[in-house]
Amino acid sequence: MSSTTVWRVIRRACEELAATRPEFENVKFAPRDSRRPFATELVNNGLPIHIGAALLGHLDIRTTRGYVAVFEEDVITRYQQFLAQRRSMCPVEEYREPTAEEWSDFRDHFDKRRVELGSCGRPTGRPAPTNSPASAARCSASTEDAAPPRRTGGGSRRPPQTRS
């Protein structure tokens, strides 16, 4: 369908609307006027936003997000529906309270990862804020044993060599 045909269809629809509803007599519509309601309808009814972006011809998903009207109550309702659907697919025992041992293992795992990834030590040698005394002790121990930070940028610090 050519753009001229689209314009003609819209103009005829506007004329028919004005014939039955006089308040629309001087209102003009363009094909572009339907993009925002179209995008909102698609995304709010379950179409993934990246597919909506492709349909609208957007290269950047942020452009599509600007077109889509998102209402706070819809976000909460949709998320609750999503959780209910996911939980219906999983075994019931996955949603029990963890034991004290499981919770401790979980926390220890992330404390160890923090040390391994270096996020608890800073280049200044001071430990970063931590959530527990045990992780603070590990962080301070790891920063005391760590080598001093390497310099970056600024070129070489070696004295120039002379030829003999």
Side-chain angles (χ1 to χ4, degrees):
M1 190 182 286
S2 72
S3 60
T4 305
T5 304
V6 172
W7 277 100
R8 285 184 189 143
V9 168
I10 291 173
R11 186 170 32 91
R12 266 189 243 127
C14 289
E15 289 168 357
E16 290 172 11
L17 179 63
T20 58
R21 308 272 309 264
E23 65 266 28
F24 287 102
E25 191 170 327
N26 293 320
V27 175
K28 303 290 183 208
F29 290 98
R32 187 158 198 84
D33 295 332
S34 63
R35 289 176 67 84
R36 184 174 307 277
F38 177 70
T40 300
E41 183 72 17
L42 291 176
V43 173
N44 286 345
N45 285 300
L47 186 75
I49 195 165
H50 67 283
I51 303 297
L55 286 171
L56 293 166
H58 296 158
L59 297 176
D60 190 336
I61 202 165
R62 290 177 292 187
T63 305
T64 310
R65 287 186 69 194
Y67 272 82
V68 175
V70 178
F71 305 101
E72 187 175 338
E73 61 273 3
D74 287 341
V75 172
I76 294 167
T77 302
R78 300 276 180 192
Y79 182 64
Q80 289 171 341
Q81 290 171 351
F82 170 78
L83 284 179
Q85 178 189 11
R86 295 293 296 180
R87 286 183 175 157
S88 71
M89 296 167 40
C90 296
V92 176
E93 59 271 4
E94 286 188 14
Y95 294 102
R96 62 175 173 71
E97 288 293 319
T99 65
E101 184 181 349
E102 289 170 332
W103 186 245
S104 177
D105 288 347
F106 175 81
R107 290 184 67 190
D108 285 348
H109 169 78
F110 285 99
D111 284 343
K112 288 174 187 172
R113 293 294 296 160
R114 206 176 293 140
V115 172
E116 289 170 9
L117 296 175
S119 64
C120 66
R122 294 184 175 149
T124 60
R126 293 181 317 196
T130 57
N131 295 334
S132 70
S135 62
R138 282 193 297 273
C139 286
S140 62
S142 69
T143 56
E144 289 169 7
D145 298 337
R150 294 177 51 189
R151 293 179 179 253
T152 56
S156 174
R157 302 278 187 222
R158 294 185 195 156
Q161 295 180 353
T162 56
R163 292 186 181 195
S164 13

